[in-house]
Amino acid sequence: WGKLMRPNPSLILFLLAVFSITAALYSINISEDYQRTTADDVIVFPRLNAKPESANVLLIETGGLKLKFKQNEDSVWIAEDKFDYPASYKLIQKVISQLADMRKIAVKTRMPSRFNQIGVEPYQQADANSVFVKLQGADGEILAESILGAQFRRNNIGIAEGTFIRHPKEQQAWLASGSIDIPSDLLSWLDTRILNVEANEIKKVKLWEKPGDTAVVVRSNDNGGFLYQNRDGIGYLDREVAKNLFESLTKLSFVDVWPRKTPEKWQSILYFEVEAYSGSTIAGQLFRSDNRKILQFSVKESALKNIGLRDVADTIAYSELNKWSYVIPSWQADRFLEGLKVIEGGLQ
């Protein structure tokens, strides 16, 4: 029958190449590290994206820190871990918005040994850089739940282009669009402003250390200066002293807060009463406790009607002022103490 046909070497190489490619594609397709789902424009949290306004509870956890924020019956976000003190409305709304807009960009690792490289390691670890975030509706429905990791920057510089994320019950990590800054301390989540009064809204300030030793500073109508009256008589107050005194109430903030209390060991430094051009009056007292300066306020109901609704979304409701003791920064306390110069006299 003649000689047997010898296999064509070129054909054999071609068939081997086809087989190798087919085997490789098959291997990739069945690999758990590969998903054919296109990551572009895939919403990470579709329930939150569909109804962000329904978010009612926010849980944050990282390392040993656990924080819980919720909306109360007045739709005000409060910190459950800080005596239900009002949280920062702007910050929480920003986090909700950023999570709702997140979209998957690219599939990343499934290997636990690499999670810490992109910051999606288990958040329960004491030294974890990851942050667990969870948003729920009033009915307990989970709207968003994820471990947030490192932010992605091209060539490790420039503006963040995305965030590495991973569901806590899944191995798959993703790169998602957007960057979210989650504060890791409770104070940063609170609405730390106490008052949001502009200095030019203040008409008059009364100051006293003890009853019967009162000084009054009032804005002059003629030249924009400040008049004072104390035990020495009446005169014009140094503009710098007046400026510090009036601005001591401008955008006043705190570094710690507790439910109102006045322990005996607190030393009273100064009483004050502020009258605005609107007719509203806010009274308060400044205390010293060790190295801390502490403020307490008394706001009349009539004042609440005038100023309580001025900017509810941006500052604590004024009706809440009577309920708290505020630790204020030293530099703000120093401004308050300018008032002592007026009381002590010798300004003429």
Side-chain angles (χ1 to χ4, degrees):
W1 290 94
K3 297 181 180 178
L4 294 174
M5 294 182 60
R6 293 183 177 178
N8 189 322
S10 299
L11 179 60
I12 293 174
L13 291 174
F14 174 76
L15 292 174
L16 286 173
V18 171
F19 176 79
S20 299
I21 293 172
T22 303
L25 289 174
Y26 177 76
S27 175
I28 291 175
N29 280 324
I30 65 172
S31 170
E32 292 182 346
D33 285 327
Y34 182 86
Q35 296 186 20
R36 283 192 170 276
T37 303
T38 303
D40 293 342
D41 293 327
V42 175
I43 297 172
V44 179
F45 309 112
R47 292 179 181 176
L48 180 63
N49 181 269
K51 46 182 180 179
E53 70 285 351
S54 66
N56 184 265
V57 177
L58 171 62
L59 301 171
I60 302 291
E61 187 171 348
T62 177
L65 181 69
K66 294 183 180 180
L67 303 176
K68 182 177 181 180
F69 307 94
K70 61 183 180 182
Q71 282 187 310
N72 62 15
E73 60 275 8
D74 298 320
S75 298
V76 175
W77 283 94
I78 58 176
E80 195 173 86
D81 306 284
K82 195 64 173 176
F83 314 109
D84 288 346
Y85 194 84
S88 170
Y89 172 86
K90 286 185 176 180
L91 175 57
I92 290 181
Q93 289 302 314
K94 182 179 179 181
V95 170
I96 292 173
S97 177
Q98 289 174 326
L99 288 172
D101 291 341
M102 265 191 162
R103 283 162 167 75
K104 294 178 180 178
I105 296 176
V107 181
K108 293 300 175 182
T109 186
R110 291 178 58 88
M111 299 176 61
S113 60
R114 296 183 180 178
F115 286 166
N116 64 339
Q117 296 178 15
I118 56 175
V120 294
E121 67 274 14
Y123 59 89
Q124 301 93 336
Q125 297 175 1
D127 58 346
N129 292 315
S130 58
V131 178
F132 171 71
V133 60
K134 184 177 183 179
L135 277 167
Q136 295 176 252
D139 58 356
E141 179 186 16
I142 298 177
L143 304 174
E145 184 177 20
S146 184
I147 295 174
L148 304 180
Q151 294 182 356
F152 171 76
R153 290 175 170 81
R154 199 171 298 279
N155 298 324
N156 295 320
I157 59 174
I159 299 174
E161 300 179 24
T163 302
F164 295 104
I165 64 172
R166 180 175 66 85
H167 192 281
K169 295 181 181 179
E170 297 177 2
Q171 291 285 95
Q172 184 64 63
W174 297 83
L175 175 61
S177 62
S179 59
I180 303 180
D181 292 319
I182 302 290
S184 58
D185 63 291
L186 176 57
L187 182 65
S188 297
W189 286 94
L190 301 181
D191 186 348
T192 57
R193 287 169 298 176
I194 304 172
L195 295 175
N196 197 13
V197 179
E198 296 297 334
N200 58 12
E201 296 179 60
I202 299 174
K203 178 182 178 181
K204 180 168 55 178
V205 177
K206 294 182 180 179
L207 308 156
W208 65 97
E209 288 182 287
K210 54 183 181 293
D213 193 13
T214 302
V216 179
V217 178
V218 61
R219 195 183 298 272
S220 171
N221 293 325
D222 50 9
N223 62 358
F226 299 87
L227 292 170
Y228 71 88
Q229 180 178 8
N230 62 8
R231 55 176 172 247
D232 291 339
I234 299 175
Y236 280 99
L237 185 63
D238 178 83
R239 284 182 177 271
E240 191 63 27
V241 173
K243 177 175 179 290
N244 286 339
L245 177 60
F246 276 58
E247 289 185 354
S248 64
L249 285 170
T250 301
K251 294 180 174 57
L252 192 63
S253 62
F254 65 82
V255 294
D256 204 356
V257 61
W258 320 290
R260 191 182 185 100
K261 61 180 180 179
T262 310
E264 292 183 1
K265 65 178 182 179
W266 287 9
Q267 177 189 356
S268 177
I269 304 175
L270 185 70
Y271 295 88
F272 61 91
E273 186 177 284
V274 179
E275 181 182 335
Y277 281 104
S278 64
S280 303
T281 300
I282 301 174
Q285 188 174 4
L286 180 64
F287 298 90
R288 178 186 289 115
S289 176
D290 297 325
N291 294 324
R292 296 177 300 186
K293 304 298 191 303
I294 303 162
L295 273 178
Q296 290 183 347
F297 291 88
S298 175
V299 186
K300 297 178 181 178
E301 289 299 320
S302 58
L304 299 178
K305 294 179 182 179
N306 292 328
I307 63 177
L309 299 177
R310 185 172 63 178
D311 204 350
V312 173
D314 285 339
T315 188
I316 181 175
Y318 284 82
S319 60
E320 296 285 319
L321 286 176
N322 298 342
K323 300 179 181 180
W324 305 99
S325 296
Y326 300 97
V327 180
I328 63 174
S330 295
W331 66 269
Q332 289 188 358
D334 291 341
R335 284 187 166 187
F336 264 97
L337 296 179
E338 289 286 339
L340 288 177
K341 295 182 180 180
V342 181
I343 295 174
E344 292 168 353
L347 296 174
Q348 293 185 1

